[in-house]
Amino acid sequence: MTSPLPASALLNESDDEGRNRRSGGRKHKAGHRVAVSPSRKSHAEIEPPVTIRSLSEAIGVKGNELLRKLMNQGVAATINSTLDDEAAQMLALDFGVELDIVYEETAEDHMLASFESDEEGENRIPRPPVITILGHVDHGKTSLLDRIRKANVVASESGGITQHIGAYQVEHDGKPITFVDTPGHEAFTAMRARGANVTDIVVLVVAADDGVMPQTREAIAHAKAAEVPIVVALNKIDLPNVNINKIFGELSQEELVPEEYGGDTPVIKTSATTGQGIPELLEMLGIVAELRCDLRANPERPATGTCLEASISEGRGVVATVLVQDGTLKVGDVIVCGDGFGRVRALFDDKGHLVETAGPSTPVEVSGLDAVPTAGEKFAVLDDVSQAREIAQTRRLRTRGAALGERQSVTLENLFDRMAEQKVKSLNLILKADVQGSLEALSKELEKLENAEVPVRVLLKAVGGISESDVLLADASQAIIVGFRVAPEDRAITAAEEKNIDIRRYDIIYQVTDEIKKAIEGMLVPETKEVHLGRAVVRQVFRISRIGTVAGCFVTQGTIERGAKARLIREGREIYKGSIDALKRFKDDVKEVAQNFECGIKISNFDDVKTDDVIEAYRIDIIRRTL
Ligand code: GDP
């Protein structure tokens, strides 16, 4: 079978309006098939794979007519050609028929249904609220989070905050509150586009010396789109000369009328610098959670939740931070997340402690998955491994299918490689900006980047937000969307997610030119970060024929893991870098050894170990770049 004709092949001519009208989608078979009628209809259902022939039967349009239409759009096909879902739907729409593609129910559908099982009853007990902090850049999101985190960690845990896992829990008045590390409102909405609404309340940070700014407005729009309550933190209140009335006025204009003005938006004056207002903010979050959101979950059921971030590391394999949203996740559970699956090997809480279980609204780091999920993908606990494997494999096939298709999109990260592979011949851009002036300044700067190897083509430049049609254009023409002080519309974000379109947003011109220049030079490689694991001191050295030198060690801090990277330190100086080839407890090979235990360590290709040397274990995490 030839690969399906992609929707992008059909974009040239079909009308935008028609596409927007399209309401057809994936559906599940309801146990019956629609009878084929020769007459044209306004709505039809079809089972994949969709061929021109089956489409013709389903919508009552002659095959020749369909082929002619495709031909007019520059697509050569035959009666047996297959169409991808979207292409089939668009072609049907050209003949005024809304098409639903009906899939067989799969193991995955059963799993997805478990996310929705909205049971009632006394098992559902109150759970902590999950908070996301949004706001304009530099208004103090990160500082506020840091402050909250440092000030409200349970006393016995102090000093234990070694872990960054993308989310954490603090306590106020004995009640836990979960914070998701501020991802920016695009990421917030991108998560929603994947169906993952993890946030219960948004804290909108507005700097008292700056007021409501463009990204504040966007953040408001995004929070409102998610239909979550907003609590405003009027931050930097410690600064002199702040005009609170002006900001209250600005907030009111955005339909966030402060309670002090008779509205219903709580505004708390905070300072991340002095700590002023933080207890009041936490107090207010507790109140809003209780009064406006009925947050409940059933800790007794198998866990479901969402991946917040994930990475792969040499020592530990796939590590994903997930937020448990319902149920309780336990070590040993079988989970599916994105197209990965596995048995939960270990759970770490936000303080880096090993835990056995994680209940509702708790963020935990999970190891044991066999593939890296994407932020926003949901996870669920399943009964058995074979079911999990089946779901993961189906998903993988689907992802691979998409990757093999013609439609692999271009991003600034992969531009260089794609050009090297001759798959892309120029950097195609769609520029959207807030005003005509920025648009001109931007295109002038971009023209300067043009060079022989990488022609820069601006396909569209216009004033206004990024719309769904921009995304379709980008998809069809392998372009990257650059938004300068403009926000993409919700539908554009959804479409961009689906089609993997790179939308880059900036508010400073040199950032645009700088990043694009780097992309052209192939510089936007994935970020890596070193994560310290543990230290061990060498107490004795053994020479074993055939193996070499094994260091008898005592783990003084953290854990030592087999396969981890290692540094050998002698008298404070690093003298060798390698990896931990073998790790033993007594005679047994083990995967890791914790603090205060003895172990034998063999460092790869290195035999000159001496007593009192220190072995430092670490891993390199590859961080997926997200925008
Ligand atoms: P973000 O971009 O919103 O995450 O903002 P940051 O947390 O990085 O803060 C931006 C700058 O504002 C930093 O230099 C902070 O030190 C400063 N800042 C943050 N909160 C406050 C505050 O409450 N008072 C004062 N005076 N400065 C603050």
Side-chain angles (χ1 to χ4, degrees), residues 133-146 182 205 207-209 215 234-240 270-276 278:
I133 301 191
L134 301 178
H136 192 74
V137 63
D138 279 350
H139 279 196
K141 297 182 290 294
T142 318
S143 313
L144 210 54
L145 265 168
D146 281 353
T182 179
V205 178
D209 62 336
Q215 288 170 15
L234 190 54
N235 193 40
K236 307 201 188 183
I237 203 73
D238 56 293
L239 293 177
T270 61
S271 166
T273 309
T274 68
Q276 182 189 336
I278 306 277

Side-chain angles (χ1 to χ4, degrees), residues 88-374:
Q89 287 172 330
M90 289 207 295
L91 187 55
L93 254 195
D94 283 339
F95 293 91
V97 185
E98 278 182 10
L99 188 70
D100 278 328
I101 317 275
V102 183
Y103 282 80
E104 293 270 4
E105 193 157 285
T106 60
E108 177 170 1
D109 299 323
H110 281 295
M111 181 185 82
L112 294 179
S114 78
F115 291 119
E116 282 151 25
S117 81
D118 218 9
E119 61 193 298
E120 300 283 320
E122 63 216 40
N123 288 339
R124 296 182 70 74
I125 56 172
R127 63 165 176 85
V130 179
I131 317 293
T132 298
I133 301 191
L134 301 178
H136 192 74
V137 63
D138 279 350
H139 279 196
K141 297 182 290 294
T142 318
S143 313
L144 210 54
L145 265 168
D146 281 353
R147 185 82 197 195
I148 292 171
R149 184 175 196 179
K150 293 207 179 90
N152 295 277
V153 175
V154 186
S156 63
E157 313 274 25
S158 61
I161 321 167
T162 49
Q163 209 82 350
H164 163 90
I165 71 164
Y168 54 88
Q169 228 174 37
V170 299
E171 259 185 39
H172 179 71
D173 274 352
K175 287 191 192 143
I177 304 178
T178 302
F179 283 86
V180 175
D181 257 4
T182 179
H185 48 257
E186 302 90 336
F188 173 81
T189 293
M191 288 256 244
R192 285 208 307 120
R194 295 192 196 102
N197 201 2
V198 299
T199 305
D200 300 311
I201 303 171
V202 161
V203 170
L204 180 74
V205 178
V206 181
D209 62 336
D210 209 12
V212 171
M213 298 305 277
Q215 288 170 15
T216 319
R217 283 192 200 96
E218 284 170 27
I220 295 171
H222 287 243
K224 285 194 170 161
E227 296 181 355
V228 295
I230 298 174
V231 172
V232 175
L234 190 54
N235 193 40
K236 307 201 188 183
I237 203 73
D238 56 293
L239 293 177
N241 306 325
V242 299
N243 184 346
I244 292 178
N245 277 333
K246 170 182 154 268
I247 298 175
F248 276 14
E250 290 168 354
L251 286 169
S252 303
Q253 275 191 352
E254 302 300 320
E255 291 171 24
L256 290 180
V257 184
E259 283 173 345
E260 287 168 81
Y261 270 25
D264 60 3
T265 303
V267 178
I268 311 290
K269 301 182 182 88
T270 61
S271 166
T273 309
T274 68
Q276 182 189 336
I278 306 277
E280 289 80 1
L281 178 62
L282 296 178
E283 182 82 41
M284 181 53 76
L285 292 174
I287 294 173
V288 171
E290 216 170 296
L291 297 185
R292 297 207 203 161
C293 328
D294 183 30
L295 305 174
R296 282 171 188 277
N298 174 7
E300 305 299 326
R301 55 170 276 171
T304 59
T306 299
C307 168
L308 299 176
E309 61 179 45
S311 60
I312 186 161
S313 71
E314 285 184 46
R316 293 174 64 198
V318 175
V319 177
T321 298
V322 302
L323 178 74
V324 178
Q325 292 175 284
D326 205 350
T328 297
L329 184 63
K330 306 185 185 79
V331 173
D333 278 348
V334 173
I335 61 171
V336 171
C337 186
D339 53 17
F341 80 102
R343 201 177 275 283
V344 175
R345 232 180 11 234
L347 293 174
F348 285 92
D349 69 7
D350 53 349
K351 282 122 201 150
H353 297 147
L354 266 174
V355 290
E356 285 296 313
T357 62
S361 298
T362 314
V364 267
E365 208 179 59
V366 176
S367 55
L369 283 168
D370 70 335
V372 187
T374 310

